[in-house]
Amino acid sequence: MRVVALVPGGIGDQILFFPTLDDLKRHYPNAQIDVIVEPRSKAAYRVSKSVHEVLNFDFQDRNSLADWGNLVGIIRDREYDVVIAVKQIWLLGLLLWLTGIPIRIGYKGKGSVFLTHAVPFKVSQYAAAVYHDLLQPLEINSPVPELAVNVPKPDIEWAQNEQKRLGVHETGYILIHGGSGQLSQAKELDKIYPVQSWHQIIQGFQDKQPDLPVVVVKGIDDEQFVRSLLGSSPDIKVTAPDDIGKLTAIIAGANLMLSTDSPALQLSVAVQTYTIALFGPTDPAKLLPKNDKFLPIKSPTGKTEDISPNAVLEKIWVG
C-alpha cells in the first residue's frame, strides 16, 4: 500500500502529526508512506521513523493553477492507494479527486464532497488526536500514541560531545529555548518572551541552584537574543545545534527545559524531558498531552510577555 499525506504547517505541526504516521505504519508495516510539506518544514522528518520520502509544496504561496496542476501530476505519477489531507481546502479536495486515488481521506467541511471518507473535525481536542482521527476510515481506532522521534546516531554523538564541551555532562543542565528566531511573522509576536524576564528567571534559578548550569539554545536569528542574555547573565552556556536532530538530542539530555510555544516544545514532549512551557495566545490543552512532565503556564492576557518570571520560578520549584 502506498500512502501520501498532505501536511501544511510548520515544524511543530509536523511533529504533532508523527503519532498518526507512526500508528499507520504500525498497523500497515509494509506501507510506503510519503508526505508533502512546505519547504520550511521538511527538516522535521530528520527525526521521523515512519516516512519513506518527503516532497515539497508551498501551500502558503500564491500558487497558480499550473502550480496546483504540477502537484496533481506528481501525485498521479506515484500511483498512491491512499491520500490523507490535513487541511480543509476546497481546491485541494477537488485536486485530490482529479488524482484518481481510490481512498481520499480528510475532514468534513470545505472540499469534503470530493473525498471518499470525511471524518469530523474535533478541533477542541489535543492536536495530535485531531490528526489521529484521520486514520478511522482505515479501521485504525486505537488511542493516539505518544509523540516519538528517531534521533540519528551522529546527532546523539554530537550532543554527547557538546555536553562535554560545555562542561555539563556530569552535572546535568537546565535548557532554555526562547524560540525568538522561529517567530519572525507578525502573528507570532505574542509568543515572544522578553530577554529581561528570562534574565530574572535565570537569576532566580541560579540563586537557588548555583551548581546546575543553565544552557541557552541559539537558533537562527537568535544572535541578539543570546547576546542580550549573556550581557546580563554571563555565566550561562550557549549551544547552537544546526539541525533538528542535534536540537532533539540536546533537549533529551536536559534535566528540565523552559520553552515558549515553539517547535522545540514538541521535541521536548517527544523525548519526555521535563518541560515548563510558556503560552500566550494558544491553548495549552491543544498543544500538550496530559502528563505531569509537561507543565504549561498560560498568560492571563494572551501575550507571553505578560507571564511573570516569579510564576515560572514557582512552577520550577513546586511544579
Side-chain angles (χ1 to χ4, degrees), residues 9 17 90-91 93 106 113 126 183 225 227 236 254 277:
F17 193 62
W90 185 89
L91 178 59
V113 66
Y126 175 43
L183 307 176
F225 170 70
R227 187 184 298 117
I236 63 173

Side-chain angles (χ1 to χ4, degrees), residues 114-262:
F114 300 108
L115 303 174
T116 59
H117 301 80
V119 303
F121 186 47
K122 300 177 182 177
V123 71
S124 61
Q125 59 183 335
Y126 175 43
V130 176
Y131 292 143
H132 193 259
D133 286 345
L134 290 167
L135 297 182
Q136 292 174 3
L138 299 175
E139 300 184 354
I140 300 175
N141 297 297
S142 52
V144 58
E146 293 182 339
L147 264 65
V149 290
N150 183 38
V151 183
K153 185 178 179 180
D155 295 341
I156 296 173
E157 293 172 347
W158 175 89
Q160 292 169 342
N161 291 329
E162 181 73 350
Q163 290 168 18
K164 291 177 182 178
R165 182 187 73 82
L166 296 170
V168 300
H169 58 294
E170 294 181 348
T171 60
Y173 54 97
I174 180 173
L175 189 68
I176 290 177
H177 191 285
S180 56
Q182 304 287 340
L183 307 176
S184 57
Q185 299 181 20
K187 67 178 181 180
E188 304 267 36
L189 292 178
D190 287 346
K191 296 183 180 182
I192 294 177
Y193 199 54
V195 171
Q196 182 57 34
S197 295
W198 281 122
H199 168 62
Q200 292 180 47
I201 293 169
I202 293 169
Q203 187 63 54
F205 180 83
Q206 290 179 330
D207 287 345
K208 277 200 173 184
Q209 291 277 7
D211 297 327
L212 187 59
V214 174
V215 178
V216 175
V217 176
K218 178 183 176 183
I220 298 173
D221 300 327
D222 277 345
E223 185 71 39
Q224 183 58 48
F225 170 70
V226 172
R227 187 184 298 117
S228 298
L229 273 183
L230 285 169
S232 55
S233 304
D235 293 337
I236 63 173
K237 301 174 185 293
V238 179
T239 184
D242 59 8
D243 62 52
I244 197 169
K246 295 180 179 67
L247 175 59
T248 305
I250 206 73
I251 291 172
N255 299 51
L256 168 70
M257 186 168 94
L258 304 179
S259 176
T260 52
D261 176 13
S262 68

Side-chain angles (χ1 to χ4, degrees), residues 10 20 35 43 58 78 151 173 177 184 239 255 303-304 316-317:
T20 298
V35 292
D58 195 345
R78 292 167 182 267
V151 183
Y173 54 97
H177 191 285
S184 57
T239 184
N255 299 51
K303 294 183 178 181
T304 307
I316 293 174
W317 306 128

Side-chain angles (χ1 to χ4, degrees), residues 18-83:
F18 280 11
T20 298
L21 295 168
D22 294 343
D23 217 15
L24 178 60
K25 189 67 173 178
R26 183 169 68 87
H27 281 82
Y28 297 94
N30 295 322
Q32 177 181 304
I33 305 172
D34 297 343
V35 292
I36 301 177
V37 303
E38 296 167 29
R40 64 187 174 121
S41 302
K42 186 174 183 178
Y45 289 88
R46 180 179 178 87
V47 293
S48 170
K49 58 185 178 181
S50 299
V51 169
H52 174 260
E53 187 174 4
V54 183
L55 305 170
N56 285 349
F57 185 79
D58 195 345
F59 295 97
Q60 289 191 335
D61 199 7
R62 294 184 177 180
N63 296 297
S64 66
L65 287 177
D67 295 324
W68 289 106
N70 288 337
L71 176 61
V72 170
I74 291 170
I75 295 173
R76 285 179 65 95
D77 288 347
R78 292 167 182 267
E79 299 181 343
Y80 292 110
D81 304 294
V82 179
V83 59

Side-chain angles (χ1 to χ4, degrees), residues 123-127 261 279-288 296 298:
V123 71
S124 61
Q125 59 183 335
Y126 175 43
D261 176 13
F279 286 93
T282 45
D283 181 357
K286 295 181 180 180
L287 293 176
L288 286 180
K298 173 69 173 150

